[in-house]
Amino acid sequence: MIVTLMNLLRACWRPSSNRTGSDATGRQDGLLWYKDTGQHVNGDYSMAVVQANNLLEDQCQIESGPLSFLDSGPYGTFVGVYDGHGGPETACYINDNLFNHLKRFVSEQNSMSADVLRKAYEATEDGFFSIVTKQWPVKPQIAAVGSCCLVGVICGGILYIANVGDSRAVLGKHVKATGEVLAVQLSAEHNVSIESVRKELQSVHPEDRHVVVLKHNVWRVKGLIQVCRSIGDAYLKKQEFNREPLYAKFRLREPFNKPILSSEPSICVQPIHPHDQFLIFASDGLWEHLTNQEAVDIVQSNPRSGSARRLIKSALLGAAKKREMRYSDLKKIDRGVRRHFHDDITVIILFLDSSLVSRASTYRGPTVSLRGAGVSLRSSTLAPYGSQM
């Protein structure tokens, strides 16, 4: 059965080496999947994903159209970037469930709000924990699987950004006086490599002098993980999952009586202005190789179509240069081994058409529902690869 599940995961998560004949659901080229251009309620979009891990741990989606289950409910655009760690299961679960939770809470309130986002994150976390509880007796390593979760929602001329982890949302903002397009980071990151984040975590756990540890020149929570907020990672949130038969490398020596990691998102809410040109949503695999301004400059100075793919190529060129190799040689390296050169990278770019944004929720088209790599793994098939590799 384990072999069957492993083969299922491989089939679902390895992009085809052939290009598809239609761009309706994107195209694939080796380990790269891309959708060069499409339309959402507030403008155009571009998406791309490149795989590096043996199993693709990044997941993403764009949903444009109704943001509730009510005919009278608001319309808008939803973007999600989910950067998994320890396996793809949590990111897949978020991809399957978070947007539906958001629609449910928007339906209850008949409006979009920061409170809706918080409730959607909480419901998603609770739902995944129920999966961990059910699978714990036979697949305990799922307790050590988690995901960063970056969400953007445009509704009624308002932009909502929510984040746990270290994915990033960046705005390209036109400055009329100079003609420049400046990069403005909109998401707060929760990586303990950032000093302020370390201090915040230490203040929350004053009784634990080792809540953050410098290990091999990298700051990590309990010496295990770099992000201090996530969905999943039950082993660092509930003591009941930090014990045998979980692998010894994940088990803490001392018990804990409150969650070490948090799933509470940092949220930014602001109106969209006519000089706001585009939004870049990307997993940290992109930002390891490009600065915010470099990414904005690449998008701004090139045609809209293929923008996300262009950013990924720029990141891969940077990764190849760091290893003193050619980009063409890097592309030949297979998944798994590729992870030694770069991480899975997901990029979604939303271009903002001010005339469409100004029409707010009265505009009723087009409707889009697309996931990166054109695949999804339903929660009923979850099988943590950590117990199989």
Side-chain angles (χ1 to χ4, degrees):
M1 180 177 179
I2 293 296
V3 173
T4 301
L5 288 170
M6 195 63 187
N7 289 336
L8 173 64
L9 283 170
R10 289 185 189 279
C12 288
W13 292 103
R14 184 173 186 179
S16 166
S17 60
N18 299 319
R19 293 179 183 268
T20 60
S22 168
D23 195 39
T25 57
R27 296 175 179 268
Q28 292 175 343
D29 182 8
L31 296 177
L32 174 70
W33 173 92
Y34 59 93
K35 169 73 172 171
D36 274 345
T37 187
Q39 289 185 307
H40 64 103
V41 169
N42 297 282
D44 298 328
Y45 70 88
S46 181
M47 300 173 67
V49 179
V50 68
Q51 180 175 352
N53 285 290
N54 201 32
L55 293 172
L56 181 62
E57 293 181 331
D58 274 15
Q59 294 290 298
C60 65
Q61 66 186 128
I62 179 170
E63 308 283 345
S64 192
L67 295 179
S68 81
F69 295 115
L70 304 175
D71 292 338
S72 61
Y75 269 52
T77 300
F78 171 99
V79 165
V81 172
Y82 318 124
D83 181 2
H85 46 260
E89 293 79 17
T90 312
C92 292
Y93 184 86
I94 298 170
N95 221 4
D96 278 347
N97 293 277
L98 177 58
F99 181 60
N100 282 333
H101 287 310
L102 179 133
K103 290 180 73 173
R104 174 164 61 91
F105 292 120
V106 170
S107 300
E108 290 177 2
Q109 298 187 9
N110 202 28
S111 65
M112 181 61 205
S113 68
D115 186 53
V116 162
L117 278 170
R118 290 190 187 92
K119 288 181 176 179
Y121 270 66
E122 182 180 5
T124 304
E125 169 97 329
D126 290 345
F128 187 72
F129 273 21
S130 71
I131 295 289
V132 174
T133 300
K134 290 174 183 176
Q135 295 201 358
W136 173 260
V138 291
K139 300 166 187 171
Q141 308 316 318
I142 197 171
V145 180
S147 181
C148 300
C149 182
L150 171 65
V151 165
V153 181
I154 301 173
C155 181
I158 304 296
L159 172 64
Y160 302 82
I161 301 287
N163 190 47
V164 293
D166 54 8
S167 295
R168 188 181 302 172
V170 173
L171 170 68
K173 185 186 189 80
H174 180 258
V175 180
K176 189 175 180 179
T178 63
E180 298 174 281
V181 177
L182 295 181
V184 181
Q185 184 170 325
L186 300 179
S187 57
E189 293 177 31
H190 310 113
N191 189 309
V192 293
S193 64
I194 303 169
E195 184 178 6
S196 60
V197 175
R198 288 200 301 276
K199 289 183 176 179
E200 179 186 5
L201 186 62
Q202 289 164 341
S203 69
V204 174
H205 300 274
E207 75 290 346
D208 187 352
R209 294 186 299 111
H210 303 292
V211 68
V212 184
V213 178
L214 187 62
K215 189 174 182 180
H216 306 304
N217 288 322
V218 177
W219 288 102
R220 296 181 184 273
V221 180
K222 303 301 290 185
L224 296 168
I225 187 172
Q226 287 185 269
V227 293
C228 59
R229 299 194 198 188
S230 68
I231 303 293
D233 294 309
Y235 75 120
L236 289 176
K237 294 176 179 176
K238 293 191 175 184
Q239 177 62 41
E240 65 196 86
F241 298 120
N242 200 288
R243 58 181 177 83
E244 292 184 337
L246 187 69
Y247 291 155
K249 65 180 180 179
F250 296 121
R251 299 200 301 267
L252 303 181
R253 293 181 180 179
E254 301 293 331
F256 55 92
N257 54 22
K258 65 179 179 180
I260 298 171
L261 303 187
S262 168
S263 62
E264 175 74 17
S266 294
I267 296 178
C268 167
V269 181
Q270 64 183 51
I272 295 177
H273 298 287
H275 47 257
D276 294 340
Q277 303 288 295
F278 53 83
L279 295 157
I280 303 172
F281 299 86
S283 57
D284 74 315
L286 180 80
W287 308 113
E288 287 176 8
H289 304 288
L290 294 176
T291 66
N292 294 349
Q293 192 61 52
E294 285 171 342
V296 164
D297 289 345
I298 291 167
V299 174
Q300 193 275 331
S301 60
N302 288 282
R304 289 186 174 188
S305 181
S307 293
R309 181 158 53 110
R310 201 171 289 117
L311 282 184
I312 284 183
K313 182 176 180 179
S314 296
L316 297 187
L317 283 167
K321 185 177 181 180
K322 288 176 183 177
R323 301 299 288 269
E324 298 183 343
M325 64 188 302
R326 294 179 299 183
Y327 172 68
S328 58
D329 291 332
L330 177 62
K331 284 185 65 179
K332 296 174 185 176
I333 300 174
D334 202 1
R335 63 200 176 104
V337 178
R338 182 82 80 89
R339 183 61 184 89
H340 297 292
F341 299 84
H342 67 86
D343 197 358
D344 296 335
I345 303 175
T346 293
V347 178
I348 301 178
I349 302 172
L350 294 185
F351 294 95
L352 304 172
D353 185 325
S354 59
S355 65
L356 296 178
V357 172
S358 65
R359 290 160 67 180
S361 57
T362 60
Y363 183 53
R364 287 294 187 261
T367 299
V368 177
S369 181
L370 182 63
R371 298 186 182 191
V375 296
S376 65
L377 181 64
R378 296 296 169 185
S379 56
S380 60
T381 66
L382 288 178
Y385 81 87
S387 61
Q388 302 162 19
M389 298 300 291

